[in-house]
Amino acid sequence: MRWNRYRGFLLLALGLSALVQVAYLRTHEFPALLGGLFLEMAATVAESGTLPTTIEGFTPEGVPFAYPPLGFYVMAVFLKLGVDGVALLRFGAPVVLLGIVALVYHLTWVLTDRPETALVAGIITGTHVSLNVYLLGASGFIRGLGFLFMLVAMFGAYQYFATDGGRRALATATIGWGLVVLTHPVHAAAAGAGVAAAWLVWDRSPRGLATGAGIAVGGLVIASPWWLTVVSNHGADIFFAGAGSQGSFNNSLSDLGELVDWFWGTSYVLNWPAAFAVVGATSLVARGEWHTPAWLAAPIVLLVPPHGRLGILVVAPLGAVGFMLALSLLTELDIDLPDRSSGRRSSLPLPSRSSLPTLPSRVDLPDLSTRQVVAIAFFLVLVGPFVGQNMAAASGTSTYSPLPVYVDAEDRTAMDWIEDETAADAQVAVVGGASEWFPHLANRTSVIVKYGTEWSGQETFTRHESAQYELRNCWNASCVNATLVDHEFASEVDYVYVPYGGFMSGRGGASISPALHESLRSSEQFTEVYRNSGVGVYEYNRTAAVSESQQRALDA
């Protein structure tokens, strides 16, 4: 029975990728990174059945719901079926990531006509933790769906503009674009850049420009039930507020220096895929085949500071091209491809089909030539340690690991106590990244939150971000009190939730000194009501806080 090379290599890429996902799941009993806001959005959709206007629990006023909703409706279906939300985020993201592996594999196969090259691209995609951190963590279910639809849109655009793919390719690009607009804002912007770059690289005709505009309009029509509802509820300005608050779309080309730092400096393992991506891109450009590298790089270059997960677009396919080029040179194989050009498309400089080792057609293992042995050894020496190192990186849960846990067992115990022992309308100032999970897990209001407030505008986002930063750096009770007063949160806080020792805040680790807890326990503004080994909860005396604030104003 003849082995189907395309399917066989795809299964191998998925299998090696699954090893990293399993390593993550075995050590992460709770999902990594942030995801509480997304889970609360999905729960709100599941409860209401319609597009909500506000997500309660995040700030006393709630945060406006203007996020693309498709992923939350998908989650809502699972929640309605009785699936636990935390488990959905934990297991769902790895499953979606395997879907991304399959799509990148297929895209690379289409670009190169080589399943061996597609295999390397798939392995890089599914195992490179530095690239897929935000696709594997708790928010990865939503981001992963957006990434999938982005790839669909870009693939359709490539087929239409580069290979004259016709109506089917046009429909693929339009539907993919519409779905990504409905799923994730960053990936929607990347997909738009990819579609535009496909026209610019391979077409540049007025007819092609009109077609690209048609794709854009068609996708927006598909997404119109969502954005028209949001505009009617909140006005069009909310989209500009969300885009501008975190600087995702409004930076200049001067930030390309950060892009270079990210490309080389964020890997937790030996970053040979990045090195081979440079080799692959350089070899293509040297032969005049600049089209594919330019097209793949466009979404990353246009969205700076860089979003690490978008690096898959360049590092996986071009890294695989560079890998196979190095392999062909090492084994002294012929690297010329048969001419597969059609229309405006050109082939990539990869080893010919007959020159690379093939899988056996029978069960009996054939005798291997020296070149085949070298090729297999080259693959094992690079890929084996790379997968192993990424498994180790994915297994970490500490603040120094790529996939840290923002809410540990002590946090969950403390949140259970708060849900059981405080009033239903209690409002809590949570120090650190646990504030984003708090409303869903404790069923109480988290007064100071960063993510979600971007839809309320730059001023609100900055106020919450600054307060969180100052709270995590406080050394005594007076500092905590002053931060709440100065940022105008004091009148809204009933309790203050303070971790012990190391914890996650924002995208990095932080630490609370034991001296802060001692100061809080001895202060008349705070009364300790709960403590475990990881968290202290303090009731906040608003009257004393206001009095101290007035005294400080008089002293000034």
Side-chain angles (χ1 to χ4, degrees), residues 410-480:
E410 287 77 16
D411 285 303
R412 298 195 295 274
T413 301
M415 292 180 193
D416 288 341
W417 180 89
I418 289 173
E419 183 175 19
D420 293 338
E421 302 297 333
T422 65
D425 60 351
Q427 301 183 154
V428 184
V430 181
V431 179
S435 62
E436 195 261 0
W437 284 98
F438 185 84
H440 185 81
L441 297 178
N443 197 26
R444 297 293 184 269
T445 297
S446 184
V447 175
I448 306 174
V449 294
K450 176 181 176 181
Y451 298 103
T453 56
E454 64 266 33
W455 298 100
S456 299
Q458 178 70 49
E459 182 179 352
T460 300
F461 178 81
T462 301
R463 183 167 74 100
H464 284 258
E465 182 180 40
S466 298
Q468 270 291 348
Y469 176 80
E470 292 177 20
L471 284 174
R472 78 185 190 198
N473 287 289
C474 279
W475 286 78
N476 55 48
S478 296
C479 172
V480 175

Side-chain angles (χ1 to χ4, degrees), residues 158-166 169 203 342-344:
Y158 168 81
Q159 287 188 310
Y160 184 83
F161 290 113
T163 66
D164 298 322
D203 192 303
S342 60
R344 290 167 296 233

Side-chain angles (χ1 to χ4, degrees), residues 90-430:
R90 180 170 171 247
F91 290 96
V95 171
V96 174
L97 180 55
L98 292 179
I100 294 172
V101 171
L103 273 181
V104 173
Y105 175 94
H106 183 72
L107 173 63
T108 306
W109 175 76
V110 170
L111 290 173
T112 65
D113 195 34
R114 300 298 303 150
E116 294 89 349
T117 309
L119 167 64
V120 177
I123 292 172
I124 293 172
T125 300
T127 63
H128 201 321
V129 171
S130 298
L131 293 181
N132 57 38
V133 160
Y134 293 106
L135 298 176
L136 188 55
S139 59
F141 187 85
I142 298 297
R143 287 181 170 136
L145 288 176
F147 202 101
L148 279 171
F149 297 139
M150 176 192 73
L151 289 173
V152 170
M154 291 183 62
F155 180 69
Y158 168 81
Q159 287 188 310
Y160 184 83
F161 290 113
T163 66
D164 298 322
R167 293 181 179 178
R168 182 175 181 178
L170 184 61
T172 299
T174 304
I175 294 173
W177 161 245
L179 293 177
V180 72
V181 170
L182 279 169
T183 307
H184 196 277
V186 171
H187 295 141
V195 172
W199 166 79
L200 187 62
V201 166
W202 283 291
D203 192 303
R204 295 188 295 278
S205 69
R207 180 176 178 272
L209 178 62
T211 302
I215 293 173
V217 172
L220 290 176
V221 169
I222 292 173
S224 61
W226 160 63
W227 59 262
L228 285 174
T229 302
V230 172
V231 169
S232 67
N233 290 335
H234 305 288
D237 291 345
I238 194 169
F239 292 114
F240 297 100
S245 293
Q246 295 193 55
S248 295
F249 309 109
N250 61 353
N251 287 270
S252 68
L253 292 179
S254 63
D255 289 315
L256 288 179
E258 185 175 345
L259 182 67
V260 175
D261 292 339
W262 156 80
F263 186 79
W264 291 110
T266 60
S267 180
Y268 294 92
V269 297
L270 181 63
N271 200 7
W272 59 257
F276 278 129
V278 173
V279 172
T282 302
S283 66
L284 295 179
V285 172
R287 289 177 52 127
E289 300 294 336
W290 56 270
H291 308 80
T292 298
W295 173 59
L296 294 173
I300 303 172
V301 173
L302 294 178
L303 272 70
V304 291
H307 295 266
R309 56 195 178 275
L310 296 179
I312 292 172
L313 295 174
V314 166
V315 175
L318 297 182
V321 169
F323 182 98
M324 296 305 295
L325 177 62
L327 175 60
S328 66
L329 294 175
L330 182 65
T331 56
E332 298 179 350
L333 300 177
D334 181 14
I335 64 172
D336 291 330
L337 273 176
D339 186 8
R340 296 181 63 253
S341 300
S342 60
R344 290 167 296 233
R345 182 189 173 201
S346 299
S347 59
L348 300 181
L350 298 169
S352 62
R353 185 182 299 274
S354 61
S355 61
L356 288 171
T358 59
L359 292 174
S361 58
R362 297 180 178 179
V363 176
D364 295 334
L365 293 177
D367 294 332
L368 297 177
S369 68
T370 302
R371 289 182 176 180
Q372 289 174 321
V373 171
V374 171
I376 294 172
F378 182 77
F379 181 86
L380 293 178
V381 166
L382 285 182
V383 173
F386 184 74
V387 174
Q389 290 173 358
N390 277 288
M391 289 176 64
S395 299
T397 61
S398 72
T399 57
Y400 304 103
S401 67
L403 290 163
V405 174
Y406 278 63
V407 175
D408 58 21
E410 287 77 16
D411 285 303
R412 298 195 295 274
T413 301
M415 292 180 193
D416 288 341
W417 180 89
I418 289 173
E419 183 175 19
D420 293 338
E421 302 297 333
T422 65
D425 60 351
Q427 301 183 154
V428 184
V430 181

Side-chain angles (χ1 to χ4, degrees), residues 481 485 542-556:
N481 182 63
V485 172
R542 297 178 183 174
T543 303
V546 173
S547 299
E548 181 176 296
S549 174
Q550 293 172 342
Q551 184 61 49
R552 286 193 298 108
L554 291 175
D555 294 341

